[in-house]
């Protein structure tokens, strides 16, 4: 490996200034880049233009350094495999901080640090952290360029891998930068992997394939709308447009400005009669958003089109309805479990132009992961770079291995993804991974009950974040790790939005594809068959199907959920909707304890909802 990447010709040494393109007039941007450069002391500054040439130069250099492994162009053209450090494989929630002026404003579900103290500490860490490296300036737009709901940001980073991912995940480059005029607001995001190539004495070391630092900080300053991330190159820790900006800073902005930033997919459905519906659905990480966003309906006549798979920004429109955009331009999807049977649309999307992180490599030079094919390859190189056979007794791909791919390669992409005004929502769905209690589908009694359902989402922990997989954890609105302010205030904001939307508010539903029988088998076939539940929801919106009122919500009346041709017994169907009073009372006790930690900030409506649920369970 060479110590430093080849210098692209248009980069100049830092002594010559910040090297900004001539058209940049925003003084705060120029000053900020200068300040961060003075602090982090990179060797060069490169302003990313987002061009194909730039992509080519970056990938060429990273291949030469052994960072990117080019895949076999005959099977996976223009695609790469990257292996991260085994200590840097997922979001680090215990190292994620909301640095609001007051601790109460971060709330009991966030880690908090005093902003001034945190900035001091960060300045210490970032001092010289880019020595010997290139500092990339990455301008990007979340949402269509210049759109009314869109927002601009600039990430500086010393990770060319992050740059490549940002180019896929956002509208990145010159067009976004040109939108940042003299007075345009933009969100600054500083990122360093914390692995300088030159020490303070000037001694140079060789680079490694995945530079990172055991010390990690993912910090958000909501009041000043800035992001500082140190020590990790992986996913949401490093692609600061995603969770840091679009959710943590975004949710804070949304509360101030009257909109919502949510961990939701957006899906367009068309019925056999040609009627269209738009739904947004919040599921915790690795609980099936990408799958549902790309669903292939098994019900004849229904079509589904993808608008987003992870993040939605919601805003009331001029007509009083709630409109949604997907601010992202790519998918950063979970690889394991993605296959022709479970998600053929994703498999077609990743035909090429894809960056794979922490998956296994086949002898043919293609990728593989658990669940990709039924036939397990006889030999692989696993995600850590070691030889692997089915007898190895360990995962070939890391459980949180992912693909990064442009959304425009998705064969089911809706034209409406391009619409800067967004799509009007008919329904909002909450889901999670629950072996018990939560029914296959239930309709909220009203908006307030829907907010209660959202606030009480719990799910079995997945590999998307570090922690104990399988443990049940509260994940309100699937936003536990992503809400940039006090979760109780967030619930209040949702309640206020309901008042504002009034009769125009989308209906709210809860779903659970993951309920299990006593033997531990999934009761519901899931995946494409989830279209049956979506159909019921659409029919219900149109008032065409009847419900059965249970204490936990309105479930399909007998015969109203289409299960024709499905291999699910009557007993299984009953179990999918069973309400065990004892278990639900126990769940209510847990909810009460969960709510208690919010003290006086807990909206009264949620206390009322819990009491009403207990009453209905009697
Ligand atoms: P993030 O990108 O982490 O926010 O997650 P996501 O919600 O987009 O997760 P994704 O769609 O990638 O979830 C993947 C996991 O959910 C895989 O293990 C899938 O097999 C599983 N999954 C998705 N849909 C279903 C379903 O209908 N039934 C069952 N049993 N599993 C499902
Ligand atoms: C999630 O964990 O919800 C993700 C992946 O979507 S990451 O971008 O790494 O947060
Ligand atoms: Mn996510």
């Amino acid at each position: 490996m060479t110590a430093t990447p080849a210098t692209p010709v248009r980069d100049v040494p830092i002594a010559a200034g910040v090297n900004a393109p001539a058209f940049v007039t925003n003084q705060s941007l120029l000053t900020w880049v200068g300040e961060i450069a003075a602090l982090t002391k990179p060797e060069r500054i490169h302003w990313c233009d987002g061009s194909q040439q730039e992509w080519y130069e970056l990938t060429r250099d990273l291949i030469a350094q052994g960072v990117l492994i080019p895949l076999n162009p005959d099977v996976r053209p223009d695609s790469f495999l990257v292996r991260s450090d085994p200590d840097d494989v997922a979001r680090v929630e215990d190292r994620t901080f909301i640095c609001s002026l007051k601790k109460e404003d971060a709330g009991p579900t966030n880690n908090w640090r005093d902003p001034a103290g945190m900035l001091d500490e960060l300045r210490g860490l970032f001092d010289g952290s880019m020595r010997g490296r290139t500092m990339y300036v990455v301008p990007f737009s979340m949402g269509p360029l210049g759109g009314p709901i869109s927002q601009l940001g600039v990430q500086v980073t010393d990770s060319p891998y992050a740059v490549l991912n940002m180019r896929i995940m956002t509208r990145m480059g010159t067009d976004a930068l040109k939108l940042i005029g003299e007075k345009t607001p933009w969100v600054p995001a500083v990122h360093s992997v914390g692995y300088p190539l030159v020490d303070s004495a000037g001694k140079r070391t060789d680079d490694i394939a995945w530079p990172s630092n055991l010390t990690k900080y993912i910090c958000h300053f909501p009041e000043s709308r800035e992001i500082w991330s140190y020590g990790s190159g992986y996913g949401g820790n490093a692609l600061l447009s995603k969770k840091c900006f679009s959710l943590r800073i975004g949710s804070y902005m949304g509360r101030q400005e009257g909109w919502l930033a949510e961990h939701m997919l957006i899906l367009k459905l068309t019925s056999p009669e040609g009627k269209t519906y738009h739904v947004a659905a919040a599921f915790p990480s690795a609980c099936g958003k990408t799958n549902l966003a790309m669903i292939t309906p098994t019900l004849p006549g229904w079509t589904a089109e993808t608008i987003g798979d992870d993040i939605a920004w919601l805003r009331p429109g001029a007509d009083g309805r709630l409109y949604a955009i997907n601010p992202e331009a790519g998918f950063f999807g979970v690889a394991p479990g993605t296959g022709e049977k479970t998600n053929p649309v994703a498999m077609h999307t990743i035909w090429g132009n894809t960056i794979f992180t922490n998956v296994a490599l086949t002898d043919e030079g293609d990728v593989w992961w658990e669940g990709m094919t039924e036939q397990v390859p006889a030999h692989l190189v696993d995600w850590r770079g070691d030889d692997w056979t089915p007898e190895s007794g360990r995962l070939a791909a890391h459980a949180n291995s992912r693909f990064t791919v442009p959304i425009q390669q998705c064969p089911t992409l809706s034209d409406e993804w391009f619409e800067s005004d967004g799509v009007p929502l008919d329904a909002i769905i909450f889901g999670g991974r629950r072996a018990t209690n939560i029914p296959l589908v239930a309709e909220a009694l009203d908006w307030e009950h829907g907010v209660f359902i959202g606030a009480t989402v719990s799910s079995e922990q997945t590999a998307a974040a570090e922690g104990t997989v399988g443990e049940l954890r509260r994940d309100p609105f699937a936003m536990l790790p992503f809400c940039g302010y006090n979760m109780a205030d967030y619930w209040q904001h949702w309640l206020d939005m309901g008042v504002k939307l009034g009769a125009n508010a989308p209906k709210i539903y809860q779903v659970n594809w993951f309920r299990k029988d006593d033997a531990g088998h999934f009761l519901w076939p899931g995946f494409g068959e989830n279209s049956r539940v979506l159909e019921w929801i659409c029919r219900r919106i149109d008032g065409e199907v009847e419900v059965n009122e249970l204490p936990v919500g309105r479930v399909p009346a007998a015969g109203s959920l289409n299960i024709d041709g499905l291999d699910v017994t009557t007993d299984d169907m009953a179990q999918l909707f069973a309400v065990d009073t004892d278990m639900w009372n126990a769940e209510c006790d847990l909810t009460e304890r969960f709510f208690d930690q919010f003290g006086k900030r807990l909206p009264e409506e949620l206390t009322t909802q819990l009491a009403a649920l207990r009453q209905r369970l009697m």
Side-chain angles (χ1 to χ4, degrees):
M1 267 182 50
T2 55
T4 44
T7 309
V9 281
R10 63 187 167 287
D11 289 326
V12 296
I14 194 152
V18 299
N19 195 25
F23 63 81
V24 178
T25 55
N26 188 300
Q27 200 50 53
S28 68
L29 174 57
L30 295 168
T31 305
W32 174 74
V33 173
E35 282 172 6
I36 301 302
L39 176 66
T40 59
K41 306 174 179 64
E43 226 160 63
R44 288 163 244 100
I45 304 181
H46 172 82
W47 291 65
C48 293
D49 61 15
S51 65
Q52 195 57 42
Q53 177 69 18
E54 181 178 79
W55 174 271
Y56 167 74
E57 287 172 10
L58 282 168
T59 53
R60 178 201 59 196
D61 292 349
L62 290 176
I63 293 167
Q65 291 175 73
V67 174
L68 292 184
I69 301 165
L71 297 173
N72 181 344
D74 295 331
V75 286
R76 204 68 64 175
D78 299 306
S79 299
F80 307 97
L81 169 64
V82 183
R83 295 188 191 116
S84 83
D85 187 292
D87 283 320
D88 194 21
V89 292
R91 282 182 295 101
V92 281
E93 293 181 3
D94 59 335
R95 305 303 303 160
T96 300
F97 298 91
I98 301 298
C99 308
S100 48
L101 291 168
K102 291 199 209 123
K103 185 171 189 207
E104 312 86 85
D105 289 338
T109 55
N110 279 315
N111 301 310
W112 176 82
R113 287 288 179 94
D114 157 62
M118 187 74 250
L119 269 179
D120 266 357
E121 199 172 332
L122 287 170
R123 283 204 192 91
L125 288 168
F126 277 87
D127 187 357
S129 74
M130 296 190 188
R131 274 205 181 94
R133 294 191 182 277
T134 299
M135 179 172 110
Y136 299 91
V137 182
V138 185
F140 58 93
S141 172
M142 297 316 288
L145 290 156
I149 309 180
S150 303
Q151 300 283 346
L152 297 158
V154 181
Q155 173 170 344
V156 295
T157 178
D158 53 10
S159 162
Y161 165 82
V163 173
L164 292 175
N165 278 269
M166 289 290 288
R167 188 190 185 237
I168 295 175
M169 296 305 296
T170 70
R171 283 107 169 151
M172 183 273 260
T174 301
D175 292 344
L177 185 57
K178 283 192 168 155
L179 288 175
I180 305 181
E182 255 172 279
K183 298 255 144 58
T184 318
W186 56 281
V187 169
V190 190
H191 175 240
S192 173
V193 294
Y195 195 99
L197 295 176
V198 177
D199 68 14
S200 50
K203 190 173 170 295
R204 198 168 272 277
T205 48
D206 278 355
D207 206 351
I208 54 175
W210 186 275
S212 61
N213 196 302
L214 285 175
T215 300
K216 293 178 173 57
Y217 277 101
I218 322 293
C219 298
H220 309 74
F221 299 82
E223 284 109 350
S224 57
R225 299 185 178 184
E226 39 181 322
I227 301 157
W228 290 70
S229 167
Y230 179 85
S232 170
Y234 197 87
N237 301 337
L239 318 178
L240 304 186
S241 59
K242 201 170 175 53
K243 307 301 182 172
C244 299
F245 183 177
S246 296
L247 292 179
R248 297 193 192 99
I249 297 295
S251 61
Y252 182 87
M253 293 167 81
R255 174 154 173 261
Q256 286 189 320
E257 299 167 4
W259 52 280
L260 297 159
E262 300 300 330
H263 194 201
M264 291 179 176
L265 67 95
I266 310 169
L267 179 66
K268 176 183 180 179
L269 294 160
T270 306
S271 73
E273 300 81 36
K275 187 161 178 209
T276 59
Y277 305 82
H278 295 97
V279 302
F283 298 179
S285 302
C287 289
K289 285 185 301 301
T290 304
N291 280 86
L292 192 59
M294 299 178 184
I295 189 171
T296 306
T298 51
L299 282 184
W302 284 84
T303 54
E305 291 168 72
T306 309
I307 299 176
D309 85 319
D310 196 49
I311 296 174
W313 283 353
L314 319 180
R315 219 179 250 256
D319 62 358
R321 299 186 67 191
L322 188 61
Y323 282 76
I325 67 160
N326 167 16
E328 298 194 283
F331 302 122
F332 182 60
V334 179
T338 307
E340 281 300 336
K341 286 238 172 75
T342 56
N343 195 341
V345 174
M347 292 308 291
H348 293 164
T349 304
I350 58 176
W351 62 268
N353 304 316
T354 305
I355 299 173
F356 296 91
T357 307
N358 288 343
V359 302
L361 181 67
T362 69
D363 294 347
E364 197 195 5
D366 196 11
V367 286
W368 193 85
W369 48 78
E370 282 70 19
M372 178 168 151
T373 54
E374 255 166 56
Q375 180 87 39
V376 177
H379 175 260
L380 294 164
V381 177
D382 73 9
W383 69 277
R384 299 176 84 149
D386 298 327
D387 279 311
W388 183 97
T389 63
E391 292 74 45
S392 298
R394 55 176 201 274
L395 293 177
H398 187 275
N400 191 41
S401 56
R402 299 212 173 219
F403 51 79
T404 321
V405 67
I407 197 168
Q408 294 195 47
Q409 286 184 201
C410 178
T412 57
L413 182 68
S414 164
D415 287 346
E416 291 177 331
W417 173 77
F418 296 90
E419 297 254 332
S420 48
D421 291 332
V423 296
L425 293 182
D426 298 288
I428 289 173
I429 302 175
F430 295 110
R433 215 176 254 274
R434 289 296 302 267
T436 61
N437 281 17
I438 306 300
L440 176 64
V441 58
E443 183 183 78
L445 304 174
D446 53 26
W447 183 270
E448 284 181 15
H449 182 228
V451 173
F452 175 79
I453 286 176
T456 52
V457 166
S458 336
S459 193
E460 289 142 28
Q461 166 99 38
T462 65
E466 293 193 326
T468 315
V469 172
E471 232 167 53
L472 192 67
R473 72 164 192 173
R474 295 270 156 180
D475 194 348
F477 284 74
M479 284 286 280
L480 180 80
F482 308 124
C483 186
Y485 60 102
N486 190 310
M487 185 61 78
D489 298 345
Y490 166 91
W491 295 331
Q492 186 61 56
H493 182 40
W494 264 84
L495 291 164
D496 295 344
M497 291 294 285
V499 173
K500 182 164 185 197
L501 293 164
N504 285 315
K507 285 192 169 223
I508 299 180
Y509 295 85
Q510 177 164 42
V511 300
N512 178 21
W513 320 138
F514 299 91
R515 199 146 168 179
K516 289 183 178 166
D517 62 17
D518 294 338
H521 300 123
F522 288 119
L523 286 161
W524 180 250
F527 305 104
E529 303 295 3
N530 295 333
S531 58
R532 297 167 185 274
V533 171
L534 295 173
E535 180 199 50
W536 185 82
I537 289 172
C538 293
R539 298 288 187 223
R540 181 65 194 152
I541 288 163
D542 289 339
E544 290 171 6
V545 287
E546 295 303 317
V547 294
N548 179 15
E549 198 143 333
L550 295 183
V552 298
R554 301 185 186 117
V555 302
S560 76
L561 180 71
N562 182 350
I563 50 166
D564 289 354
L566 210 58
D567 187 23
V568 182
T569 65
T570 326
D571 188 49
D572 285 351
M573 284 309 292
Q575 279 197 62
L576 279 164
F577 291 98
V579 176
D580 180 312
T581 311
D582 289 344
M583 284 175 73
W584 265 99
N585 278 320
E587 178 128 8
C588 287
D589 292 345
L590 292 177
T591 296
E592 183 173 342
R593 249 185 282 157
F594 177 62
F595 281 174
D596 273 349
Q597 57 179 325
F598 296 94
K600 282 214 248 334
R601 276 169 104 137
L602 181 75
E604 211 180 283
E605 288 86 341
L606 294 183
T607 315
T608 310
Q609 284 293 329
L610 178 58
L613 171 59
R614 281 188 160 134
Q615 190 66 38
R616 291 194 300 269
L617 285 164
M618 297 237 271

